[in-house]
Each structure stands twice: as structure tokens, then as C-alpha cells.
Amino acid sequence: MQHIIKGALLATTCAVTVGCGDNWLEQDPLSFYEPTKTYTTEAGLEAALAKCDQSYKEMLMDGNGNVLPIASVYFMTDIGLYAKTDAGGGIMDDFANKITPTSGMASGGDSNAMMRFWDQSWNGIKYANTVLSYVDRVTGLDDSIKNIYKGRAYFHRAYKYYNLVLLFGDVPLVTKIIDSPKQDYKSTSKDAIFQMLVHDLEFAVQHVPSQQEMSTFGTPNQEACMQLLIKCYLTVGEFAKAEAMATDLINNHGLKLMTETFGTFVHSGNEKTWKVTDNVMWDLFRGENIPIAANKETILPILNYDDQNFTQYLTMRALGVHWSNGDIMAPDGTGSPTYNYSRKDGNYRDTLDWLRVLGRGIGCFRTSYHYNKTMWYYDGVEDTTDLRHNRMVGNWVEMEDLKYNKPSSPFYGKHMQLYATEDYVNNEGKTIVSKGQLLCKDTIRSWYPIPLYKMYILDQSAEENLNANQFNGATKGTTCSNGNMYLFRLAETYLLRAEARFYQNNTTGAAEDVNAIRSRAKAQKLFTTVTIGNIADERARELYMEEWRQPELVRMSWCLARSKQPDEWGNTYDINTWDKQDGTDKSGGSYWYQRCIHYSLFNRGQITSKVNLNYQVDKHNLFWPIPNSAITANTGATLRQNYGYDGYDESVQMFTNWEDAVKDEGGSN
């Protein structure tokens, strides 16, 4: 029987029950079958690949209404912050001092999403390795079919390792299901692992069919393999190969950027409160439209239907601003002028139905000032026509667009305001509110704009219940599920090619690719040349809550160090030191670190909100720590801890080429 070992390295290595302690094991659904019988049939291979497909979703959404796992790869970045201030910041405000191999990486609480990436990565790698270990034992399959299975398994394993390495650095390399428990793994360098990913994905691109040749959607296709290979080419410094493959993918695979409205138009939740004018960016991010044939931009979707193990995806709760609470005061300082009422409430007005438009946000994650403001300004002028930042069509909502909706408030129906515009004096002549006074007690959690086109999901369960006063996101699967997501789409391909060209010093060609994305979005400014900062900003505008932001910034940091190209401030990075620095000062570090301290609140001193917060990142937080639970479980050898964390020891040996690591595994393949 197979088992998943939660929170430990053995999550991918224990394929039999012999020698595994039950106190830290959890049975896997497929473990009730003998592997040598189950996986030596094509149905068994398909079952394992289905688990791989499911694992995309399990890594990014888990039904958690407080912190979506995907938000965890935005907490320590240039465009976002942990904002749950009633938790006192928890571990999430001061990463520099609170994230250690034991503290902050344990399961439970809001921090468990970090540990989740470790556990779920190994779980997905296990299922991919199951296919690779058993496919050649399946009788009756010709080599071409076996190679398709291998290619898809390589893709799944590469996707997990891509993000695992860019989050956790040097990790063990596990490529097969072994015949007996193994607890003497050594770490393998991130360079070596990426060389293996390139090798595997080149095979996958050759053997996995194009989506145009497939009757099903949602399973890895050739185009997805190409997209991931482009990213890996960039990571290992093969910039010309990355550019050529991106060009092939853009030109020769039936894909195109969507430039006109298409598919099903979904309104805003309540058009009388907030009207959305049908536009291509809105249509692109409605789950109903993500997997349809008319959407030529989709490379690979994450399907989230009832029959696809539907998982709640509560974007509007976890990411949405906490607007319905007592922290937002009326302009005269009186009580809370907002609340989230149901349609059965006697005070309900369909023109002030912000609950169904925005959801009942609790502001666990908030976007940075850079994402909210400065990223949309050029030469001091705000770009209001960019569809990704456009209030007129309804895609973007500022807090000042909302209206107070509590009937007892004298400001009922008037627009919200952050500062008092005049003095308010009570009957005793005492000034209650002074002109210019801040009217929000917690601007971290309760006052920031909403990229509605990315966050809005019809809450079907709440919509069916007139008494509901919690609209949270995808709570129910349907035939055309609104909980679908993108894993890859073509817009990112253009931005990856822009990077490849930039690293080769072709800033004009890079600008053309960035402009393709900006033109589709109807942005005002087009570039004649670009910096890496322009590309990173465009990724933020276009791929918010799609890309894994921290891993991608780590990859870009690595690419800058390889290419020796400067960042937007003129800094250059050394390939030998970019990932081996610590400290919270303004100099040095990686590109990831520089963007964090330039564009977000990190390392700027104490911030007073409802509680005192001290948002800090250290240069070594570039990588998360290897969990201590994995290190102690690997009793036969020492795993390398990442630089800057307790337990780091440069003398600990690791494999520096992947072939040696594979030989060391033993077992069957």
C-alpha cells in the first residue's frame, strides 16, 4: 500500500507499508490496491495521472476561507502583504525574524499554506513517479502511447519541482517509487534539478500531443509542456532557446490573445449597485469562459467541477477588502455606516448591494501601494483606460466608489471617504471630527482597491439562499463551473519571451512583447524599450493571482544574475552571491529583495494600525526554510538547510548533477 507522509520528506518515497510508522502516515485513496497490480494497467496509469491533474488545484486552493494557499506566494513580494491585523500580524508581518525551520512552517493556522506547498509538491511528485515507475510494465501499449504517459508525468513532476525549488532551494531529488523505505537522501543543487527538468520536458514536448489533436481539455498538452520548458530554459540561462520556443508557441499552435468579448457574459453580482460593461478582460477571467473552445488564449486550465473533485475557491473572502466592519467610520465619526445584509433584511436595497458585488471580504491578503497606485502611473499621469485598472467599465473598484449602506447613518447612500472633508461639532460645541482626519481605523485591512475582474466569482450557494449574508467565491461546482482557473495562458508566453529578449540585451524586441499585452488591455503608454522592472510590473498587472509571484521573482533574480543585465535601479547581481546574503538593509540582496523593499512596506519601520506591525523580510527569505520535520525524518543523511536559517552548513554535501542523485536512489524504475 502507498501512504502519504504529511510534513516529511518521505511523502514521496514510501511506496510500501514495511518500515513506516503509522503515527505519521495517512492512507492514500489509491493505497487500497496492490501497486504492482493497480499500476500495471492503463486504467491505473490514468488514475495516477488524474491525481496529478487534481494536485494543481490542491496546491492553490483548499477551501480555506482565511488564507488561500496561492496568497502565500504573494505575502513576501512587491505587490502584497498579509493583512489579518486582528491576528497581530502573527508570523506573517515579520518574516525576517519569525520564519524558521520550526516556527511558521508547522501545519495549522494561517501559516499552514507555506507548509502545504511542501507537502503537496511531494504528493504530486509521488503520483508522477508512480506513472514513470510502472508505465513500462503495462502490457499491450505501444511505445508511442507509453511515451505520452511518460511525457505527461514528466510535465507534472517538472511543474512541482519548478515551484518547489524556487520556493525551497536545494531539495532532495526523488524520481522513482522505491521498493523499501529510504531515509538517507541528500539534497540536490537547484542548478542540477533544473537541468533534469529541461531534459525531461524536452522529451515531453516531443511526445505529448498538441491540444489541437486532443479530444479532452485539462490534461497536459504539448503547449503546456512548451510553456514550462520556456521557464526552465530561462532559469538555466538558455535564453535563445527560450525565445525560440516562445515564438513557436505563439505562432504555430492555434493560440492567440483574445482581443474581443467572447463566451458567456457574467454580470457583477448586482448591476444596479455596480455595473460591468462587457469587455475582453472581464470575459477572460470568468470561470465559465476559461475552458471553452472559443478562448484561444488558454494553454492549460485548472478545472474545478463537481465531477472533478470540486474545491471551494473563496477569493472574495480571503482577498477582498474588509469593508463591512466597525473600522470604517462615517464622516462625522458616528458608528459603522456599512454592513453586509441579506436580501431578506428589511434594510436591503438593490442599489447598495455591495455584498453580492464584492463579497464579504475579510482582508487577509492586501495588495501593495505599488500594485494599487504607482504601477499605473507614467510620467505622473494615471492610466485609466487600461482595462485591468478601469473603473468606468467596472473591472476595478476604488473604496471611494462604494457607498455607505446602513440606513441609520446620516451619510446613507453617499460615497465613502477616507478623510473628513470638514469639521463636525456636536451639540456641546466639541469637535468630534476635524477636517482631514482619517476615517478608517485600519487602512491595512479595510481600505484598498479591488481588481474585481480577477476576484469576482458568483457564490452559487449564497445566491440560492435569500438569507445569506456571506458571499465568498466559488462555493458550489456546476456544469460550467465558475471555479475554473488558468494554469497557463498565452499572455504569459509573450512576457516570458520579453524576458528572454531582455536577457540577450534586445530591449526593443522585449518592448514589442510587452506592448502586445498592453495593447490588448488598451493601456495608454507603449514602450520603445523596457527594463526588467517594466516586465516585472507587466507580469503583476496581467498575471495577478495567476502566477506564483515569489517563485517567479526568484527565477527572475536568478536570470538577472546569469545574464548580468541590470535591474531598473542599475543594480547588477553576481551568480555566486545572489542567493547567499542576509540582512534587512537597503543594499545588496537579490532582485526579489530589492522589489520587496522598494515597492512594498517591508523594512520601513513599525507601522501602527489597530496593532503595531513591523513588516520585515531578510535577504535570506528569498527561499523558505527546509522544514525541520523533513530534516529529522531523513535519519540516514543530512539535508542542507537554506542559507541564513538555523542549521545552515555549507559543508553539508549535496549532489551537483542530477544523474548522480538518480543513481543514489536505488529501487526500481
Side-chain angles (χ1 to χ4, degrees):
M1 286 189 288
Q2 290 187 318
H3 295 81
I4 303 171
I5 300 174
K6 298 294 185 183
L9 168 66
L10 293 175
T12 60
T13 63
C14 182
V16 294
T17 59
V18 178
C20 294
D22 288 338
N23 60 321
W24 39 304
L25 293 176
E26 179 180 317
Q27 283 193 332
D28 179 85
L30 294 184
S31 69
F32 297 102
Y33 303 95
E34 176 62 34
T36 56
K37 294 180 181 179
T38 301
Y39 298 120
T40 51
T41 66
E42 187 171 11
L45 297 179
E46 290 173 348
L49 278 178
K51 290 293 291 183
C52 290
D53 292 340
Q54 181 181 319
S55 69
Y56 301 137
K57 183 164 50 183
E58 290 175 339
M59 292 183 79
L60 300 177
M61 59 177 100
D62 62 355
N64 186 336
N66 287 333
V67 177
L68 295 173
I70 191 173
S72 297
V73 292
Y74 283 77
F75 288 153
M76 283 189 279
T77 70
D78 52 345
I79 62 172
L81 292 166
Y82 182 74
K84 197 176 177 186
T85 49
D86 65 354
I91 67 164
M92 301 296 210
D93 66 324
D94 187 0
F95 293 100
N97 294 304
K98 294 180 180 178
I99 295 296
T100 72
T102 55
S103 175
M105 295 305 295
S107 296
D110 288 351
S111 62
N112 70 347
M114 290 178 152
M115 191 69 201
R116 183 178 184 83
F117 284 115
W118 178 266
D119 289 338
Q120 291 296 335
S121 293
W122 292 118
N123 193 37
I125 289 167
K126 179 189 68 175
Y127 283 110
N129 284 340
T130 298
V131 175
L132 294 167
S133 293
Y134 286 99
V135 63
D136 285 329
R137 306 183 198 183
V138 178
T139 59
L141 293 181
D142 62 37
D143 287 345
S144 63
I145 299 300
K146 288 182 179 180
N147 286 340
I148 292 173
Y149 278 113
K150 289 178 182 179
R152 286 182 172 144
Y154 280 143
F155 171 83
H156 280 293
R157 190 170 71 184
Y159 183 77
K160 298 301 187 300
Y161 263 117
Y162 176 88
N163 289 294
L164 183 68
V165 171
L166 291 174
L167 284 172
F168 293 98
D170 304 321
V171 299
L173 185 60
V174 182
T175 67
K176 60 187 70 174
I177 299 296
I178 63 173
D179 298 316
S180 60
K182 178 177 173 62
Q183 294 176 293
D184 62 347
Y185 277 91
K186 296 179 183 178
S187 301
T188 301
S189 73
K190 47 188 175 288
D191 292 87
I193 293 175
F194 266 95
Q195 291 294 339
M196 186 192 77
L197 301 189
V198 168
H199 171 273
D200 291 350
L201 288 168
E202 286 178 338
F203 178 95
V205 168
Q206 291 298 314
H207 296 284
V208 174
S210 169
Q211 184 61 55
Q212 298 170 95
E213 302 168 12
M214 295 166 55
S215 59
T216 58
F217 205 36
T219 298
N221 51 39
Q222 183 186 52
E223 290 75 21
C225 296
M226 294 173 71
Q227 183 91 327
L228 187 53
L229 180 54
I230 293 165
K231 293 188 175 196
C232 292
Y233 276 149
L234 288 173
T235 309
V236 301
E238 295 278 9
F239 304 132
K241 287 184 178 179
E243 179 183 0
M245 183 151 287
T247 299
D248 184 4
L249 185 55
I250 290 168
N251 294 339
N252 301 321
H253 289 261
L255 298 163
K256 68 174 185 177
L257 294 177
M258 301 301 292
T259 56
E260 303 294 337
T261 58
F262 68 97
T264 301
F265 173 64
V266 179
H267 61 71
S268 64
N270 191 324
E271 289 189 284
K272 293 183 178 180
T273 299
W274 184 257
K275 183 176 176 58
V276 172
T277 303
D278 193 10
N279 65 87
V280 67
M281 295 307 295
W282 181 266
D283 288 344
L284 264 175
F285 295 99
R286 308 285 61 80
E288 297 88 341
N289 295 334
I290 287 173
I292 63 174
N295 187 350
K296 301 300 183 183
E297 194 162 329
T298 301
I299 292 175
L300 187 63
I302 301 175
L303 301 178
N304 196 24
Y305 301 118
D306 278 331
D307 61 354
Q308 296 278 343
N309 189 36
F310 176 79
T311 303
Q312 290 192 348
Y313 188 42
L314 308 180
T315 54
M316 295 196 296
R317 177 178 171 84
L319 308 179
V321 62
H322 194 18
W323 61 271
S324 59
N325 65 81
D327 289 335
I328 295 177
M329 298 180 292
D332 63 357
T334 57
S336 173
T338 63
Y339 77 122
N340 49 304
Y341 45 56
S342 75
R343 284 163 287 168
K344 282 287 191 179
D345 191 298
N347 293 315
Y348 174 78
R349 297 291 183 274
D350 60 8
T351 56
L352 296 172
D353 190 4
W354 296 108
L355 176 66
R356 289 163 73 212
V357 172
L358 304 179
R360 199 266 180 178
I362 59 172
C364 289
F365 170 81
R366 67 153 291 146
T367 41
S368 68
Y369 188 80
H370 183 61
Y371 178 82
N372 297 336
K373 296 292 184 183
T374 58
M375 198 167 63
W376 307 98
Y377 277 78
Y378 307 94
D379 302 321
V381 178
E382 182 181 10
D383 186 346
T384 58
T385 67
D386 191 318
L387 290 172
R388 301 163 299 184
H389 184 64
N390 192 313
R391 298 159 72 185
M392 297 304 295
V393 300
N395 288 353
W396 185 276
V397 184
E398 293 284 346
M399 291 299 294
E400 290 83 358
D401 293 321
L402 276 64
K403 296 178 181 178
Y404 301 115
N405 66 346
K406 184 172 284 188
S408 60
S409 171
F411 298 91
Y412 177 71
K414 294 185 178 180
H415 286 282
M416 291 188 190
Q417 55 191 74
L418 183 57
Y419 296 98
T421 55
E422 58 184 291
D423 293 338
Y424 283 91
V425 181
N426 65 12
N427 293 332
E428 300 173 354
K430 182 179 179 181
T431 299
I432 303 300
V433 173
S434 300
K435 183 178 179 180
Q437 181 176 323
L438 184 67
L439 298 173
C440 181
K441 301 174 186 177
D442 185 358
T443 56
I444 295 290
R445 192 176 184 184
S446 296
W447 200 276
Y448 56 90
I450 304 101
L452 191 66
Y453 78 107
K454 278 292 185 84
M455 286 177 46
Y456 175 75
I457 299 177
L458 172 67
D459 188 332
Q460 190 62 45
S461 297
E463 189 66 25
E464 295 170 2
N465 177 12
L466 293 178
N467 288 306
N469 70 342
Q470 301 280 327
F471 281 70
N472 295 322
T475 56
K476 190 173 183 178
T478 61
T479 301
C480 294
S481 175
N482 57 12
N484 295 325
M485 302 170 61
Y486 292 104
L487 190 74
F488 294 142
R489 65 184 172 95
L490 189 65
E492 187 182 14
T493 316
Y494 279 89
L495 296 176
L496 291 170
R497 187 170 68 176
E499 275 192 70
R501 289 172 167 175
F502 174 83
Y503 300 135
Q504 297 174 86
N505 204 31
N506 179 7
T507 57
T508 302
E512 292 173 359
D513 285 327
V514 172
N515 287 342
I517 304 305
R518 295 183 60 74
S519 295
R520 186 270 295 280
K522 303 187 186 306
Q524 291 177 359
K525 180 178 177 62
L526 298 180
F527 297 101
T528 56
T529 185
V530 292
T531 67
I532 193 64
N534 298 136
I535 299 172
D537 281 351
E538 200 62 32
R539 287 189 67 92
R541 296 183 196 99
E542 183 69 20
L543 301 173
Y544 174 68
M545 283 297 150
E546 287 181 75
E547 67 170 343
W548 295 31
R549 186 65 175 179
Q550 185 166 350
E552 292 300 329
L553 287 179
V554 171
R555 178 188 59 73
M556 295 175 81
S557 300
W558 202 351
C559 290
L560 282 178
R562 288 194 191 279
S563 70
K564 303 186 184 303
Q565 293 295 324
D567 65 18
E568 57 262 46
W569 304 284
N571 302 317
T572 56
Y573 301 90
D574 188 330
I575 192 63
N576 297 309
T577 61
W578 73 280
D579 59 344
K580 298 268 189 309
Q581 299 179 54
D582 56 16
T584 58
D585 57 292
K586 294 182 179 180
S587 63
S590 62
Y591 183 56
W592 161 82
Y593 179 77
Q594 287 297 321
R595 285 193 69 92
C596 282
I597 65 173
H598 274 87
Y599 294 136
S600 194
L601 293 178
F602 292 114
N603 303 1
R604 300 191 183 192
Q606 186 169 279
I607 297 169
T608 301
S609 185
K610 290 174 69 176
V611 295
N612 291 328
L613 298 171
N614 189 22
Y615 287 105
Q616 286 197 106
V617 290
D618 194 289
K619 295 166 190 174
H620 73 255
N621 294 141
L622 172 76
F623 293 109
W624 295 348
I626 303 296
N628 190 63
S629 56
I631 292 173
T632 57
N634 194 59
T635 57
T638 302
L639 296 180
R640 284 173 66 99
Q641 183 54 268
N642 285 320
Y643 179 89
Y645 296 103
D646 290 343
Y648 171 75
D649 183 351
E650 182 64 28
S651 68
V652 173
Q653 293 184 340
M654 66 176 173
F655 293 110
T656 55
N657 67 73
W658 63 271
E659 293 91 347
D660 287 343
V662 171
K663 289 178 184 177
D664 185 68
E665 286 185 81
S668 59
N669 196 12

